[in-house]
Amino acid sequence: MQYSQTKMVKLVKQSPELNRQLKAIMKEHELEKSFALKALYHAEVKDGGTYQRDYQEIRD
């Protein structure tokens, strides 16, 4: 499965929990949104993560 920033933005908009996590990552690590999205992808989506199915169902 390949990372897509467009898909991650859509997934975060769908999930209040992911939105909260994204903001926490940005604040805690002082990251720009694009880098925080990628970190969130690796933490919650990739390799059987909690949101993997939801991510796969999103169309670009």
Side-chain angles (χ1 to χ4, degrees):
M1 185 169 47
Q2 194 158 355
Y3 172 75
S4 165
Q5 185 170 345
T6 306
K7 280 185 165 185
M8 277 306 293
V9 168
K10 289 178 183 177
L11 184 62
V12 167
K13 285 181 181 179
Q14 291 177 0
S15 171
E17 174 60 22
L18 282 180
N19 195 5
R20 185 194 61 73
Q21 288 182 32
L22 176 66
K23 289 179 182 181
I25 290 170
M26 289 172 67
K27 183 176 182 180
E28 182 178 342
H29 300 285
E30 297 179 1
L31 292 174
E32 295 176 14
K33 187 174 182 176
S34 61
F35 295 116
L37 280 168
K38 197 163 196 173
L40 192 59
Y41 167 79
H42 286 285
E44 298 293 338
V45 176
K46 191 172 181 186
D47 298 330
T50 308
Y51 295 92
Q52 184 176 22
R53 182 174 298 241
D54 295 335
Y55 180 84
Q56 290 174 330
E57 291 174 357
I58 294 174
R59 303 280 178 222
D60 276 338

